[in-house]
Amino acid sequence: MAITANQASAKQADDINAAPTRLFSLDALRGFDMFWIMGGEEIFHGMAKATGSPFWGAIANQFTHPDWNGFHLYDLIFPLFLFMAGVSTPFSVGRELEKGKTRRQLLLRVIKRAFILVLLGLVVNNGIKIMPIAEIRFPSVLGRIGIAYMFANIIYLYSKERWQMLWFCFFIIGYWLLLKFTSAPGFPIGDLTMKGNFASYVDRSILPGRLYLGIHDPEGLFSTIPAISTGILGILTGILLKKGDITQMRKVATMAVAGVIFLVLAQIWNLDFPINKNLWTSSFVLHVGGLSLLLMALFYYIIDVKGYKKWSFYFRVIGMNSILIYVSGHFIKWDYTTEGFFGWIGQLVGDPYNIVVMAICYVMVKWLFLYYLYTKKTFLRV
């Protein structure tokens, strides 16, 4: 018994002292997130169309966005990616600090990365062509990630953990107060409709070009304010995961408990400030933050704690080139490629399940492309 106890004690000490240098779970979760954007959701839409089943229809509906208030699982993809960008910060920016890089050097790198993401967002939105400014859509998914990532990282570089928590609260509470006590001209105070809310009004007033919905843009500038908190939450999670004086199981428990608390608080706040991805409301930040924490806890527990890594290889291949596959559709005609290689399979299967088979083939073609890059150790780093 004494030997067993000593061995267990030594294992626990190793678990505490060994701060991770890379999270396999983070690559896998990023790949899991991007899987749905690269075509995974179309498999379920195809099943719904092919079967006409209410069951598959309900699942497929979760891979759409609500018109305004409310939440579907598809709404999690974007904030989860931003959350994970934050998680990686202590392992990338933090490591460079430990190596002796100055905050100024890292600040310039963070700003450069944000600038590149904004430019890539413009390309994704508008393609590579000259057009009148009035026709350009400036807000974008990558642009929001870049701006929110930049401000969250500046806070990380120049403040301690406690202050980062305060900044997290400041952005979501401040945003709530701003929208509760303001509105677009001609609308009642606190109006949260698409046309009447203050955030959309500010975007209409100051942003050049066109907005995605004419009077509103879901990636608008003003609603990027609470998105900074999503990035900060990821950073705080990364700090927790990097700590060497806490056991892995305690990290899992902390993330899981925090995730549940966030979900409860989100539902309470939802009564006054509806969960709304379009406005990235504060209740939305807590809701998707809670789900992100629970997913991170699950993936971390299975992959990094228990050591079950092989099953996640499929997702890690995607996760290590996530930005590349996101922008690739503007340079590669994936539909044409899929039809060229596997169109015969769709014809062989025939209606109605050919749409499901072709959706699977579409994802497979993209994955094989990423796998080839993976074997060549070719990754797009921003």
Side-chain angles (χ1 to χ4, degrees):
M1 287 296 294
I3 295 175
T4 304
N6 287 337
Q7 289 174 338
S9 178
K11 183 181 184 302
Q12 185 180 44
D14 289 341
D15 181 28
I16 292 176
N17 294 323
T21 57
R22 184 174 187 88
L23 294 176
F24 290 101
S25 55
L26 185 59
D27 290 327
L29 182 55
R30 188 183 293 112
F32 174 78
D33 192 40
M34 290 303 300
F35 168 79
W36 305 107
I37 290 181
M38 64 185 270
E41 83 285 0
E42 287 300 326
I43 298 172
F44 293 95
H45 288 303
M47 284 297 295
K49 291 176 184 177
T51 63
S53 162
F55 171 77
W56 288 111
I59 294 178
N61 187 52
Q62 286 297 313
F63 293 99
T64 63
H65 294 299
D67 291 335
W68 193 242
N69 292 334
F71 178 82
H72 291 169
L73 289 177
Y74 206 51
D75 295 337
L76 178 62
I77 293 174
F78 181 4
L80 177 58
F81 192 90
L82 177 53
F83 169 85
M84 289 186 287
V87 173
S88 67
T89 291
F91 294 90
S92 55
V93 177
R95 184 171 60 243
E96 294 301 313
L97 276 174
E98 293 165 2
K99 289 180 178 179
K101 288 283 184 68
T102 66
R103 284 180 170 80
R104 178 179 172 79
Q105 288 175 309
L106 294 171
L107 173 63
L108 293 175
R109 193 177 83 172
V110 164
I111 293 173
K112 178 183 175 183
R113 187 184 191 200
F115 181 72
I116 292 173
L117 286 171
V118 169
L119 287 181
L120 284 174
L122 285 171
V123 172
V124 169
N125 281 353
N126 309 287
I128 304 176
K129 56 186 176 181
I130 298 175
M131 61 176 66
I133 290 179
E135 297 178 12
I136 298 174
R137 183 189 172 213
F138 287 91
S140 66
V141 169
L142 291 178
R144 171 164 290 182
I145 290 173
I147 294 170
Y149 165 88
M150 179 182 70
F151 281 108
N153 273 257
I154 290 172
I155 290 169
Y156 170 76
L157 283 171
Y158 292 98
S159 66
K160 300 296 184 182
E161 189 175 349
R162 180 176 298 179
W163 276 102
Q164 292 166 24
M165 295 178 185
L166 292 174
W167 276 111
F168 171 84
C169 296
F170 171 78
F171 286 122
I172 58 174
I173 293 174
Y175 185 69
W176 166 59
L177 293 174
L178 279 170
L179 265 62
K180 284 294 291 182
F181 294 103
T182 58
S183 66
F187 290 85
I189 297 298
D191 191 296
L192 295 176
T193 62
M194 185 181 294
K195 192 172 183 180
N197 76 85
F198 185 67
S200 298
Y201 168 70
V202 171
D203 289 341
R204 290 195 298 270
S205 302
I206 68 173
L207 284 175
R210 63 180 178 88
L211 301 183
Y212 186 67
L213 298 175
I215 60 172
H216 168 79
D217 199 300
E219 282 78 54
L221 186 62
F222 197 84
S223 55
T224 299
I225 293 172
I228 299 171
S229 287
T230 302
I232 293 174
L233 179 61
I235 288 173
L236 290 168
T237 304
I239 291 172
L240 170 70
L241 290 170
K242 194 180 178 185
K243 287 181 178 178
D245 58 346
I246 301 177
T247 64
Q248 289 180 315
M249 285 307 300
R250 186 175 175 184
K251 293 173 184 177
V252 172
T254 300
M255 288 187 288
V257 171
V260 171
I261 291 173
F262 271 40
L263 289 175
V264 172
L265 291 176
Q267 293 306 313
I268 295 172
W269 211 341
N270 178 55
L271 300 175
D272 179 68
F273 197 27
I275 294 172
N276 183 311
K277 177 186 177 292
N278 280 277
L279 291 175
W280 210 280
T281 54
S282 305
S283 55
F284 176 77
V285 172
L286 293 184
H287 188 71
V288 297
L291 292 173
S292 298
L293 283 165
L294 290 175
L295 281 171
M296 190 72 243
L298 178 64
F299 273 65
Y300 178 72
Y301 174 72
I302 294 173
I303 297 172
D304 290 309
V305 178
K306 302 302 290 183
Y308 300 125
K309 295 183 175 70
K310 290 183 179 180
W311 71 272
S312 67
F313 177 74
Y314 178 88
F315 293 122
R316 283 192 284 121
V317 168
I318 302 171
M320 294 185 74
N321 251 324
S322 53
I323 298 293
L324 175 63
I325 199 61
Y326 181 76
V327 303
S328 65
H330 293 270
F331 306 100
I332 301 173
K333 294 183 178 180
W334 291 113
D335 287 326
Y336 177 82
T337 305
T338 304
E339 185 66 30
F341 280 104
F342 299 107
W344 62 274
I345 297 181
Q347 294 174 3
L348 185 65
V349 172
D351 292 331
Y353 288 98
N354 59 328
I355 55 175
V356 179
V357 171
M358 291 309 294
I360 295 171
C361 291
Y362 180 80
V363 174
M364 183 170 67
V365 166
K366 285 188 172 182
W367 189 86
L368 289 173
F369 169 71
L370 292 176
Y371 177 69
Y372 173 78
L373 296 179
Y374 178 86
T375 60
K376 299 298 181 181
K377 294 182 171 56
T378 304
F379 309 107
L380 176 63
R381 302 299 185 199
V382 177

